[in-house]
Amino acid sequence: MRHSTLASFLATALTLGLLTASPSMAQTSQPAAKSDKMAPAPKADSKMAPATSKMAPAKSELLDINSASAEELDALPGVGKAYSAAIIKGRPYKGKDDLVQKHIVPQKTYDGIKDKIVAKQKS
């Protein structure tokens, strides 16, 4: 029993290894273009632009619902003049989810803006 379990495990690992390695071993559909000159290597002292991540917005880009203007709130997706006025009227908020708990905006609108807002507290 122990031998068959180990053999099964090894067979599965080998299969997964071959499946993940297959695309890297595949031949390209178009041959690489031949050139007489090779591209020069980048210089070690050359300055490159920093890479930007589009995974999540930086905290400085988050809009504070406790201090944002009506125009800033109105610019959020799904938030118009009526919702922005209601957000301002319902201030202060302990957390950004207060927008739904206090029935200021519907859940669908909140889902669209929750990654773009924050409710900062006065210290």
Side-chain angles (χ1 to χ4, degrees):
M1 175 92 175
R2 192 175 212 186
H3 178 64
S4 65
T5 306
L6 181 61
S8 176
F9 176 76
L10 289 175
T12 304
L14 179 62
T15 304
L16 288 175
L18 289 176
L19 288 176
T20 57
S22 304
S24 64
M25 291 185 213
Q27 189 174 13
T28 59
S29 60
Q30 295 179 351
K34 294 182 179 179
S35 65
D36 293 339
K37 295 182 180 179
M38 292 184 64
K43 296 180 182 178
D45 62 340
S46 66
K47 294 181 181 177
M48 298 180 70
T52 57
S53 173
K54 296 191 181 205
M55 297 289 283
K59 288 192 177 190
S60 63
E61 295 176 13
L62 295 176
L63 185 63
D64 181 17
I65 58 174
N66 283 327
S67 64
S69 68
E71 293 80 21
E72 291 172 324
L73 292 168
D74 190 31
L76 291 169
V79 177
K81 292 182 180 184
Y83 284 144
S84 62
I87 292 170
I88 291 171
K89 186 177 178 183
R91 287 178 180 165
Y93 300 101
K94 293 180 183 176
K96 62 184 179 180
D97 59 336
D98 280 355
L99 292 177
V100 176
Q101 292 175 358
K102 292 183 176 183
H103 303 289
I104 306 293
V105 297
Q107 183 68 46
K108 186 174 181 181
T109 303
Y110 175 74
D111 290 341
I113 64 172
K114 67 182 176 183
D115 294 332
K116 298 176 171 111
I117 61 172
V118 68
K120 293 182 181 176
Q121 305 298 311
K122 290 182 180 180
S123 45

